[in-house]
């Protein structure tokens, strides 16, 4: 956050997040079509991926919900500003930061 300067996340960074989320939502159909093409690609072998509970279809469903700003499976979509605020809070949360890879050594 210090690298963003005096305004921290409240200046250009927040505005850039909101613009990016607006573009993602505005181009959701195109983005999802591109991602769905990987499901039907004959070169991809999804059989070894199905050992976990997450299927490629459920991953696409999760991506679609995140683009729309839906936090849980049956929730209402958040506003662009609300979603940006939520994502910034998650990214700066001390609980999330303490779980980062130690090899990164951000303290150096």
């Amino acid at each position: 956050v210090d690298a963003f300067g005096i305004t921290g996340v409240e200046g250009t960074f927040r505005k850039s997040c909101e613009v990016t989320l607006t573009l993602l939502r505005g181009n959701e159909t195109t983005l999802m079509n591109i991602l769905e093409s990987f499901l039907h690609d004959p070169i991809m072998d999804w059989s070894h991926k199905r050992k976990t509970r997450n299927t490629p279809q459920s991953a696409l469903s999760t991506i679609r919900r995140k683009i729309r700003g839906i936090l849980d499976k049956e929730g209402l979509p958040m506003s662009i500003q609300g979603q940006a605020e939520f994502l910034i809070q998650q990214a700066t949360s001390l609980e999330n930061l303490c779980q980062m890879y130690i090899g990164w050594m951000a303290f150096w």
Side-chain angles (χ1 to χ4, degrees):
V1 173
D2 292 340
F4 292 136
I6 195 165
T7 59
V9 297
E10 296 304 324
T12 307
F13 181 74
R14 180 178 297 277
K15 187 63 178 169
S16 297
C17 288
E18 291 172 0
V19 168
T20 302
L21 289 169
T22 302
L23 289 170
L24 281 171
R25 286 189 186 185
N27 294 293
E28 175 189 356
T29 305
T30 305
L31 180 60
M32 293 310 297
N33 284 338
I34 291 168
L35 293 175
E36 285 174 9
S37 69
F38 288 108
L39 286 179
H40 307 292
D41 187 353
I43 296 174
M44 295 297 297
D45 179 23
W46 295 105
S47 61
H48 70 281
K49 306 275 186 199
R50 295 179 191 205
K51 293 177 183 173
T52 63
R53 283 182 243 153
N54 295 334
T55 65
Q57 290 83 1
S58 68
L60 284 177
S61 177
T62 300
I63 292 169
R64 183 175 283 116
R65 284 194 314 275
K66 287 184 178 192
I67 289 173
R68 293 178 180 173
I70 300 172
L71 295 180
D72 53 10
K73 292 193 180 221
E74 298 170 6
L76 295 172
M78 299 175 75
S79 67
I80 297 288
Q81 293 79 14
Q83 186 177 11
E85 175 63 27
F86 175 78
L87 292 172
I88 290 170
Q89 285 179 1
Q90 291 292 309
T92 57
S93 163
L94 292 180
E95 286 119 21
N96 290 339
L97 291 174
C98 75
Q99 297 176 22
M100 292 182 77
Y101 172 61
I102 189 64
W104 183 54
M105 291 190 266
F107 47 85
W108 283 74

